[in-house]
Amino acid sequence: MSSAIPRNPQLAIHNRQSVITLLTDFGTQDYFVGAMKGVILSANPSAAIVDITHDIPPQDIHAAAFNLLATYRDFPAGSVHVAVVDPGVGSSRRPILVECAEQMFVGPDNGLFSWICEREKRFTARQLTNESFFRHPKSKTFHGRDVFAPVAAALARGVSAEEVGPLIDNLVKLESLTPKRRDDGTLEGCVIHIDRFGNCITNFTTEHLTTASTRSSSLVINDRELTSFREFFAEKPDAAESLFMICGSAGFIEVAAQNESAAAILKIKRGQQVLLRTG
């Protein structure tokens, strides 16, 4: 359900010189990213385009959602984020615009933006229906170029959100980031992302693990209990325990191993259950 956000009269003005970010699973070997940038610059030559990443694993909506969640707050108000990990392209899935945290998010309605909406709580969503902003002819297999890129360019040069399509209130959602609390106080979460270093990022945040409680906290993952906590990776290496907990830069508690892959050591995959005991 969308929650209305207050209109900011300065947002449209700011948007005229807005940053446009790109996050895709397209890689850089083919023409896809270049084509999107060409469309954006053709419609908005002054656009400042920033690549967040194009190395999302193919069709991996969860990895895309996490990487966007970890970066959007680093950008200024008025930024337009284009995220295209779109296994449903050409189907009945909706193209959407989400306004949230004084920024705009353009992409497919497949859960890509749901973690940001869950965190921020206040957002407005619209379905992209005004085809006058699309590129024509519109390909059925490349909406990144023909729908999302030109709409983002239009928004960045000051087109109002109301012009691109009507409000909607039933966005597709990924599973919630909020851990469950058991009767005994244990928090039940999961691994939401594994980065290229093999660090296992959980949906527990620094709010669940305060500095005062780190010494009495334990985390159980794949039947292994971890009690070691570090503030940085090279802190007090312990030969007896290669795995440890750490508060990562994205604000989530991670399971890591110095100079090794924690995921490989634990044989962990994304989605696996993690338990956190504090106190």
Side-chain angles (χ1 to χ4, degrees), residues 3-25:
S3 299
I5 59 175
R7 301 300 302 170
N8 184 346
Q10 298 301 315
L11 188 57
I13 296 174
H14 194 157
N15 260 348
R16 292 191 183 106
Q17 297 180 332
S18 173
V19 168
I20 297 177
T21 76
L22 301 179
L23 183 150
T24 77
D25 59 353

Side-chain angles (χ1 to χ4, degrees), residues 182 186-189 204 218-221 273-277:
R182 295 182 171 181
T186 298
L187 290 174
E188 179 182 328
F204 302 125
S218 65
L219 189 148
V220 179
I221 181 170
Q273 184 187 79
V274 186
L275 302 179
L276 180 64
R277 303 188 179 110

Side-chain angles (χ1 to χ4, degrees), residues 23 64-73 112 115-117 119 177 192 250 252:
L23 183 150
F66 172 79
N67 277 275
L68 194 58
L69 180 73
T71 55
Y72 76 100
R73 286 181 171 175
L112 269 175
W115 284 347
I116 292 173
C117 293
R119 172 193 278 175
L177 285 175
I192 60 172
F252 295 96

